[in-house]
């Protein structure tokens, strides 16, 4: 472990980031003073240079001229130095801002974080909405959305779909290594924000479409030959006329030929330029990102594979992306009408640029998507690595595919809660044929504990550490029914919405069993949109079906008698959370310790809570 990481483990993430942010801010302030001094020196030197020019005009002679030249050279040097030092100041401020943002993430201060980018979550996703996977105070916000579209797309996929256990194991090793590469993760984050944050996913996709499609010009050898011959003929005829060998403007005939070629094929060529240049402002900037990623010294097998992907076919992805950006800049000369038209008619400029672009397309085009996907995966890994770095007391889960499906955690807590307030519990869900039956009073923490289970499963499936001291689980599918909403637009009642969601959970259980796996379900107050008698019958039916499908899960409810029936009594593993009431009449206070205890809850607090709110039940008339 590096010295900086050792200090981090002693001081905690908050102190770590606060110290780094303060150090960068101080350095930025010193750099700002240097920039101001250079700016003043530049202004003063400019004034002296003007004075030297005035001196020359009033008879200063050659001494004034040479003084002005020297002062002008010094002024240019100061301009260059000022720009470089200004860039360094901006970099230091960016590093300070980045560490301040990471400090806010470590402390779960969601109001200080930028709004996460919107995510297109599939409608009816089995757990995303219930577990706060996306949104402001979400798992996605905690991880820190990657700067580039490929990075965001990769991380979103990992959070929405469980990965195969073999992929998770190699990902965990990569995350462990990247957790110690603080400077590399900072550099990649800043590069992404500087060079690719504004990149449009649509424009990147459009560029990739062009890069992977069949070249157009290469299949028209006659056009290529004409584009090469006509400008040569133009130059030859013009040279012969200037030399007096021929009379007359015969070179205009070849210019007319160039005009004809331009009118015949120019629209098609410009259309190709437009598609290829859609992401010119971002695709070239990826060269910096890919170059830094490829040059890093990394050892984990997954990281080494990603670096190999960044040089697919032995190519230098960074250099090739810079080249295509330069070619697209040259293609953009068509926007300068006064300069472009004579250049095009004399040289057939567009045809030659397209030929160079298609040469690039044939060499690099088949690999570009692979380069961007590899970088996106690396960027997503750095988001998981920062979580591991900030929480050295968290653990990487162990996946057990051989034993019956089970979720067995020690010291489990909700990762979105601040470390100072979250409470850890030992929680076991499974094996098949059982379910965790959780009861307790209002506000006791039942829903939070369910979400702690689910959110940590999502982290585990992504390859990240989990908020626990130990976790062993089987590869499972995850489905929840927690935040149910009715729909006036669709004419769906609350109860029907609950039934539809539970039907989806059952379907997921059948699909998981059909594929040789198991479902982990989390149900919060199932079917509380109807009366007690019908709710018990319906909920017991649902739970019986889930048990038949070999699913494991946890159910949180106020209904203490829900599992008190022959078909569920043996399967229920009862646990509860409770409150403590303090004071006496007129001064009643209630506290919660959020500690999970065995057995059924023995108290409820609805009436006490009403009293605390000043809502006492009416007194019956005598």
């Amino acid at each position: 472990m590096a010295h900086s990481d050792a200090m981090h483990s002693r001081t905690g993430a908050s102190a770590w980031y606060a110290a780094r942010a303060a150090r960068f801010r101080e350095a930025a302030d010193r750099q700002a003073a240097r920039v101001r001094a250079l700016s003043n020196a530049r202004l003063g030197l400019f004034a002296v240079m003007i004075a030297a020019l005035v001196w020359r005009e009033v008879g200063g002679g050659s001494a004034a001229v040479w003084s002005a030249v020297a002062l002008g050279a010094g002024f240019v040097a100061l301009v260059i130095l000022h720009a470089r030092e200004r860039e360094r100041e901006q970099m230091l401020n960016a590093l300070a801002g980045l560490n301040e943002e990471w400090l806010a993430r470590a402390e779960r201060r969601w109001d200080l974080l930028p709004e996460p980018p919107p995510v297109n979550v599939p409608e009816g996703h089995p757990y995303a909405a219930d577990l706060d996977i996306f949104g402001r105070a979400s798992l996605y916000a905690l991880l820190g959305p990657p700067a580039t579209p490929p990075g965001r797309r990769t991380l979103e996929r990992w959070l929405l779909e469980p990965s195969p256990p073999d992929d998770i194991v190699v990902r965990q090793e990569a995350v462990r290594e990247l957790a110690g590469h603080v400077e590399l993760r900072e550099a990649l984050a800043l590069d992404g924000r500087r060079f690719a944050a504004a990149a449009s996913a649509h424009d990147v996709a459009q560029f990739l479409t062009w890069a992977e499609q069949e070249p157009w010009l290469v299949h028209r050898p006659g056009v290529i030959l004409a584009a090469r011959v006509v400008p040569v003929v133009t130059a030859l005829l013009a040279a012969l006329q200037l030399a007096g060998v021929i009379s007359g403007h015969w070179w205009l005939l070849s210019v007319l030929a160039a005009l004809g070629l331009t009118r015949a094929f120019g629209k098609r060529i410009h259309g190709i330029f437009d598609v290829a240049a859609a992401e010119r402002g971002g695709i070239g900037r990826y060269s910096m990102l890919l170059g830094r990623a490829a040059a890093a010294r990394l050892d984990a097998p997954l990281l080494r594979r990603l670096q190999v992907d960044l040089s697919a076919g032995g190519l230098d992805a960074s250099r090739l992306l810079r080249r295509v950006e330069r070619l697209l800049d040259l293609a953009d000369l068509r926007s300068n009408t006064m300069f472009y038209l004579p250049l095009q008619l004399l040289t057939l400029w567009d045809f030659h640029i397209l030929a160079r672009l298609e040469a690039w397309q044939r060499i690099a085009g088949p690999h570009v998507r692979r380069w961007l996907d590899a970088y996106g995966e690396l960027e997503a890994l750095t988001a998981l690595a920062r979580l591991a770095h900030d929480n050295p007391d968290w653990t990487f889960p162990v996946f057990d595919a051989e034993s019956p499906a089970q979720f067995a955690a020690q010291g489990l807590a909700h990762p979105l809660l601040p470390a100072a307030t979250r409470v850890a519990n030992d929680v076991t869900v499974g094996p098949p044929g059982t379910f965790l039956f959780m009861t307790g009073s209002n506000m006791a923490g039942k829903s939070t504990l369910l979400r702690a289970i689910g959110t940590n499963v999502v982290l585990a499936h992504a390859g990240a550490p989990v908020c626990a001291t130990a976790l062993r689980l089987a590869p499972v599918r995850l489905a929840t029914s927690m935040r149910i909403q009715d729909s006036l637009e669709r004419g769906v009642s609350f109860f029907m919405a609950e039934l539809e969601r539970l039907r989806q959970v059952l379907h997921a259980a059948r699909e998981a069993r059909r594929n040789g796996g198991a479902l982990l379900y989390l149900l919060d107050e199932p079917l509380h949109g109807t009366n007690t008698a019908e709710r018990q019958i319906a909920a017991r039916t649902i739970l019986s079906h889930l048990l038949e499908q070999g699913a494991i899960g946890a159910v949180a409810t106020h209904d203490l008698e829900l599992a008190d029936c022959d078909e569920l009594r043996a399967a229920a593993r009862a646990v509860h959370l409770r409150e403590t009431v303090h004071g006496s009449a007129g001064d009643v206070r209630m506290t919660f310790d959020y500690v999970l205890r065995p057995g059924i809850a023995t108290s409820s607090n609805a009436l006490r809570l009403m009293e605390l709110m000043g809502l006492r039940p009416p007194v019956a008339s005598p």
Side-chain angles (χ1 to χ4, degrees), residues 220-568:
R220 289 159 177 79
V223 176
I224 296 175
L225 180 62
R228 291 173 177 171
V229 170
V230 169
V232 173
V233 172
T234 301
L236 181 60
L237 292 174
L240 290 174
Q241 182 185 357
L242 289 174
V245 176
I246 62 175
S247 60
H249 302 290
W250 293 102
W251 59 274
L252 290 176
L253 294 177
S254 57
V255 169
L256 288 174
L259 179 61
L261 286 170
T262 300
R263 290 181 62 85
F265 301 106
K267 187 175 181 179
R268 178 61 184 269
I269 293 174
H270 288 176
I272 295 173
F273 286 166
D274 289 340
V275 173
E279 187 46 25
R280 186 193 61 200
I283 203 68
R285 294 171 182 168
Y286 274 93
S287 62
M288 173 67 77
L289 310 181
L290 271 59
R292 190 185 298 277
R297 294 195 172 193
L298 302 170
D299 298 317
L302 175 57
L303 300 177
R304 297 296 301 160
R305 178 183 67 76
L306 293 176
Q307 289 184 313
V308 169
D309 287 347
L310 292 175
S311 59
L315 303 175
D316 186 336
S318 178
R319 180 176 59 84
L320 284 167
L321 289 179
R322 286 196 300 271
R323 181 188 298 175
V324 75
E325 184 177 37
R326 288 194 295 268
L327 289 173
L328 292 171
D329 282 336
L330 294 175
D332 200 39
L333 286 176
R334 67 190 187 279
S335 61
N336 188 334
T337 307
M338 292 184 61
F339 181 73
Y340 163 74
L341 188 57
L343 181 67
Q344 173 66 14
L345 294 180
L346 292 174
T347 68
L348 288 175
W349 178 262
D350 287 345
F351 292 85
H352 302 302
I353 296 301
L354 180 58
R356 295 285 298 278
L357 278 172
E358 289 192 350
W360 184 95
Q361 188 182 24
R362 293 193 298 275
I363 295 171
H367 304 290
V368 180
R369 187 180 300 274
R370 188 175 172 187
W371 295 339
L372 297 186
D373 287 346
Y375 182 80
E377 188 168 351
L378 176 64
E379 197 177 20
L381 287 169
T382 62
L384 304 185
R386 189 191 54 75
L387 191 69
H389 171 270
D390 294 355
N391 300 278
D393 54 334
W394 290 16
T395 188
F396 284 90
V398 175
F399 283 85
D400 185 358
E402 304 300 325
S403 303
Q406 194 173 44
F407 174 98
Q410 297 174 15
L412 181 83
H414 200 307
L416 298 184
L417 294 176
T421 59
R422 61 182 177 238
V423 176
N425 285 286
D426 295 345
V427 181
T428 299
V429 180
T434 67
F435 68 96
L436 194 68
F437 183 57
M438 191 187 312
T439 55
S441 303
N442 294 289
M443 301 170 60
K446 300 187 302 298
S447 299
T448 299
L449 187 53
L450 284 184
R451 292 191 177 93
I453 295 171
T455 308
N456 280 291
V457 168
V458 173
L459 282 173
H461 283 159
V466 295
C467 187
T469 56
L471 174 61
R472 179 176 292 272
L473 74 160
V476 293
R477 305 293 295 188
L478 178 64
T480 63
S481 178
M482 303 177 74
R483 289 173 174 157
I484 307 300
Q485 294 182 340
D486 55 4
S487 174
L488 293 176
E489 181 181 355
R490 293 190 297 125
V492 177
S493 70
F494 188 88
F495 181 67
M496 285 301 297
E498 282 190 293
L499 282 180
E500 173 60 24
R501 189 54 181 265
L502 290 171
R503 187 190 67 81
Q504 294 174 4
V505 173
L506 278 172
H507 177 73
R510 296 189 185 102
E511 284 292 313
R513 186 173 190 181
R514 188 177 299 117
N515 294 324
L519 178 77
L520 171 61
Y521 59 88
L522 303 171
L523 310 182
D524 192 10
E525 295 292 346
L527 298 170
H528 65 289
T530 188
N531 63 72
T532 301
E534 290 186 331
R535 177 175 67 246
Q536 288 184 350
I537 295 172
R540 289 168 179 171
T541 301
I542 296 293
L543 289 171
S544 296
H545 282 299
L546 289 170
L547 290 168
E548 289 174 3
Q549 298 302 321
I552 61 172
V555 181
T557 182
H558 289 95
D559 192 342
L560 307 183
E561 298 177 353
L562 179 62
D564 190 16
C565 62
D566 294 338
E567 63 268 28
L568 297 182

Side-chain angles (χ1 to χ4, degrees), residues 19-70:
R20 286 178 70 83
R23 187 165 71 250
F24 286 128
R25 285 291 179 208
E26 291 172 1
D29 290 342
R30 292 193 298 271
Q31 187 67 16
R34 177 176 171 81
V35 169
R36 286 194 298 271
L38 286 171
S39 180
N40 293 334
R42 186 179 63 176
L43 181 61
L45 195 61
F46 181 78
V48 175
M49 182 180 68
I50 296 300
L53 292 174
V54 173
W55 179 29
R56 175 188 176 279
E57 292 299 320
V58 297
S62 60
V65 173
W66 286 110
S67 296
V69 170

